[in-house]
Amino acid sequence: MANPRCHVIVIPYPAQGHINPLLQFAKRLASKGVKATLATTPYTINSIHAPTVGVEPISDGFDEGGFKQSSGVEAYLESFKAVGSRTLSELILKFNASDSPVRCIVYDSLLTWPVDVARQFGIYAAVFLTNSASVCSMYWQIDQGLLNLPVEQETVPVSLPGLPSLGFQELPSFLASPTTQSAYLAAILEKFHSLDKNDWVFCNSFEELEIQLVGAMRGLWPVVMVGPMVPSAYLDQQIDGDTAYGASLWEPTTDQCLRWLDMKPPDSVIYVSFGSMADISAKQVEEMAWGLEASKRPFLWVIKDSENKLPDDFISSIGETGIVVAWCNQLEVLAHQAVGCFVTHCGWNSTLEGLSLGVPMVCVTQWSDQPTNAKFVEEVWKVGVRAEKDEEGIVRRKELEKCIREVMVGERSGEMKNNASKWRDLAKVAVRLGGSSDTNVDQFVVKLLDEKKT
């Protein structure tokens, strides 16, 4: 049973890829006896179903449509800071007048303000990093004055402690092109400038996965690995019935997908998804479509706006070979024995899920941390290949077909499959009882249960 005197409010940035890991962390805390409440925006609150976690609204100032209501990133973040600070304070006051006063706020690293609210109430604050520790270390190096912005092409390759040598196209896009997403970058850099205001700095990764970085940064920064934040059914089975994150902003067609997969041989299907935030150009969609058709392999493709971007005669040309859906339960698909390859944008959640479920990857990156994640997938973890873009920034059909063939039947495909299985097993070890991530979460809970707030 949850201890009402040990109450944590968890605040995600209200996008699918941010809600999932923070909700999973809330469930993990609840499984260890902590009373966990997810505080999210009215626009997303009805999409969340997690029986062991409370759900309460806080406002970003755009209650009807969330981010789409705002005029842009900067306006949205400013509104969420102003209105979110006030409504979070009201929520804390409500709980403090009950038998479950708030002990700690755990909040998404894209949000800069919850730590200040925590300080006003004299409670603990913990920031939760939703990128890899390796990518986060680059932002930390910038704050420390050890890496300059913008990163100039003539200064690459970039060599930093615990990281492989990184070329210009392998850097996070926020660093390679800092003016393109300046509001997000400003929020990220503000967060790393104020890490020491937090009592904990958690990261959705595990020590074994980024062991070189862990060794290089030990004692220099306060990051604690607690991941991978993947539902327990796929890893350690410590949480009963935990087969999904419990949040979906779109209606999945999972039953249809699983029935189709059940008819396919083991390791035969290419699964294609670019996550919840990617906006893929019509030209890239067209090249992907004909590249998949040319592979002559069964494929399951998740694409939210398919009716607007797919070539006119594509669906009729593929027959029973492929299936195109708007959304699905990615974990159930990746866990299916028929899936042998994951064509992914390499967002951190998808990368962790591919690693945790042991599926080799083809990386078709878009922005943010994805180019760096793809570098690790190919060269550090050796579980996949990166698709090369042409001068227009497009992965052409022949390139995609070549990469799929390399992962499925190429001379290194056996090595990739073996490595994928290795990382899957290490992910399970990290989160099971006594594992590195599980121990770190336990230490957090023990501190929360200590009645003395230091």
Side-chain angles (χ1 to χ4, degrees), residues 134 158-160 162-166 375-376 379-380:
S134 294
V158 173
S159 296
L160 293 169
L163 303 185
S165 179
L166 295 168
K375 165 87 167 184
F376 276 74
E379 295 186 17
V380 178

Side-chain angles (χ1 to χ4, degrees), residues 135 138-153 155-156 158 160 168 171-190 192:
V135 165
M138 301 174 74
Y139 297 123
W140 184 84
Q141 297 279 354
I142 291 168
D143 182 67
Q144 299 294 304
L146 302 172
L147 180 63
N148 294 323
L149 266 184
V151 178
E152 303 291 349
Q153 293 234 25
T155 66
V156 295
V158 173
L160 293 169
F168 192 75
L171 296 170
S173 66
F174 294 162
L175 304 188
S177 306
T179 57
T180 57
Q181 293 290 339
S182 56
Y184 279 137
L185 178 60
I188 292 167
L189 293 180
E190 182 179 342
F192 280 89

Side-chain angles (χ1 to χ4, degrees), residues 171-319:
L171 296 170
S173 66
F174 294 162
L175 304 188
S177 306
T179 57
T180 57
Q181 293 290 339
S182 56
Y184 279 137
L185 178 60
I188 292 167
L189 293 180
E190 182 179 342
K191 178 51 52 199
F192 280 89
H193 188 62
S194 60
L195 278 190
D196 59 357
K197 291 170 69 175
N198 297 277
D199 299 289
W200 291 273
V201 180
F202 295 129
C203 182
N204 185 20
S205 185
F206 57 105
E207 291 180 6
E208 294 81 359
L209 186 65
E210 302 187 76
I211 194 67
Q212 290 85 2
L213 182 82
V214 170
M217 300 294 281
R218 185 170 280 119
L220 298 177
W221 72 340
V223 172
V224 176
M225 308 287 216
V226 294
M229 283 299 140
V230 168
S232 179
Y234 302 98
L235 293 173
D236 59 312
Q237 290 91 44
Q238 282 192 65
I239 307 174
D240 287 344
D242 187 29
T243 59
Y245 288 108
S248 184
L249 303 184
W250 297 276
E251 191 64 38
T253 52
T254 305
D255 289 346
Q256 174 194 1
C257 296
L258 295 180
R259 284 196 301 271
W260 184 84
L261 287 169
D262 285 342
M263 298 185 291
K264 306 302 176 188
D267 295 329
S268 66
V269 173
I270 305 155
Y271 170 60
V272 187
S273 177
F274 289 158
S276 59
M277 291 181 75
D279 184 18
I280 311 300
S281 70
K283 172 56 75 175
Q284 182 63 86
V285 169
E286 180 182 1
E287 292 298 317
M288 296 281 298
W290 298 127
L292 289 168
E293 195 230 15
S295 75
K296 306 299 182 193
R297 298 178 185 280
F299 63 86
L300 166 55
W301 189 1
V302 176
I303 176 168
K304 296 204 298 292
D305 301 316
S306 60
E307 67 280 0
N308 299 325
K309 294 181 178 178
L310 284 174
D312 292 340
D313 52 347
F314 174 66
I315 295 294
S316 60
S317 74
I318 58 175

Side-chain angles (χ1 to χ4, degrees), residues 5 34 53 107 175 195 214 220 265 292 329 387 454:
R5 306 296 299 177
V34 174
V53 175
Y107 66 99
L175 304 188
L195 278 190
V214 170
L220 298 177
L292 289 168
N329 182 329
T454 55

Side-chain angles (χ1 to χ4, degrees), residues 206-212 228 235 352 354-358 361 376-377 380-383 416-430:
F206 57 105
E207 291 180 6
E208 294 81 359
L209 186 65
E210 302 187 76
I211 194 67
Q212 290 85 2
L235 293 173
L352 268 185
L355 289 162
S356 297
L357 279 83
M361 294 175 245
F376 276 74
V377 164
V380 178
W381 305 317
K382 299 186 174 171
V383 294
M416 291 180 208
K417 288 172 185 170
N418 289 337
N419 286 333
S421 297
K422 178 188 80 171
W423 292 116
R424 178 193 62 203
D425 294 343
L426 287 171
K428 290 179 178 179
V429 169

Side-chain angles (χ1 to χ4, degrees), residues 37-64:
T37 298
L38 191 87
T40 190
T41 57
Y43 178 68
T44 58
I45 200 165
N46 292 329
S47 304
I48 294 164
H49 307 282
T52 61
V53 175
V55 184
E56 294 279 350
I58 61 169
S59 180
D60 56 9
F62 301 102
D63 293 349
E64 301 303 316

